[in-house]
Amino acid sequence: VLEADVESLIVGVSGVRGVVGEGLTPEVVVRFGAAFGTYLAGGRVVVGRDSRRSGQMMRDALVAGLVSTGCDVTDVGIVPTPTIQLAVEELETSGGVAITASHNPVEWNALKFVGAGGALREGHSSVPVRGHVFSTCTGPARHKGLAGAISDRSPPTEVQSIGI
């Protein structure tokens, strides 16, 4: 993943968005997932998405990044962003991510980061996550215990799907 790929993304009040397959590739989404997991220092993260065709691919890449940093993931499926925010608050998780490009054209998608209290991580709060993409996630996962879990062949974290 080149920094130039990430530079073509729009990072702002709406989180991180871009054209799927151009700046917003699965590799980039994995890196942002790992960065957000690192930023949260692990814990449980709620993930949900809209019904865009790219949503499942984005979800899989995001979950891979989150799990690589020791996060447990609760997948709430295809739901509106406020449902993800409510799930973060009600389940008392470390945070959440909504995969949705809202009103943008179908070739776009986005990651909207949600804080522990259920509030969207507005504008300036997405920037530290972007910085983590290249500062803390350049090598193998560094979550303590993850390497042992992989060598023991036991699952290091949990991905739970729930219907809301």
Side-chain angles (χ1 to χ4, degrees):
V1 177
L2 301 174
E3 191 164 0
D5 293 335
V6 177
E7 290 300 321
S8 71
L9 299 175
I10 299 169
V11 180
V13 175
S14 298
V16 179
R17 59 191 156 109
V19 176
V20 175
E22 292 178 17
L24 195 60
T25 63
E27 295 85 2
V28 168
V29 175
V30 167
R31 299 283 295 252
F32 271 98
F36 192 55
T38 300
Y39 180 74
L40 295 176
R44 181 165 295 282
V45 179
V46 173
V47 172
R49 66 184 185 92
D50 66 14
S51 61
R52 289 174 189 263
R53 290 184 66 179
S54 61
Q56 185 65 44
M57 174 191 69
M58 297 269 298
R59 178 251 180 232
D60 293 346
L62 176 67
V63 168
L66 290 167
V67 168
S68 77
T69 62
C71 291
D72 292 323
V73 175
T74 300
D75 182 352
V76 295
I78 298 173
V79 295
T81 300
T83 302
I84 297 162
Q85 293 174 268
L86 181 62
V88 167
E89 183 179 5
E90 291 294 315
L91 298 173
E92 298 179 350
T93 66
S94 299
V97 183
I99 303 167
T100 177
S102 188
H103 63 280
N104 289 293
V106 70
E107 62 271 11
W108 286 71
N109 216 327
L111 304 173
K112 292 185 179 183
F113 301 107
V114 178
L120 289 173
R121 306 287 303 173
E122 299 293 342
H124 66 279
S125 298
S126 296
V127 175
V129 173
R130 182 175 181 222
H132 278 295
V133 169
F134 290 99
S135 65
T136 61
C137 301
T138 56
R142 292 185 175 87
H143 182 267
K144 58 184 170 187
L146 185 58
I150 291 172
S151 65
D152 294 337
R153 300 199 186 272
S154 60
T157 58
E158 173 186 355
V159 176
Q160 173 186 18
S161 295
I162 62 173
I164 291 187

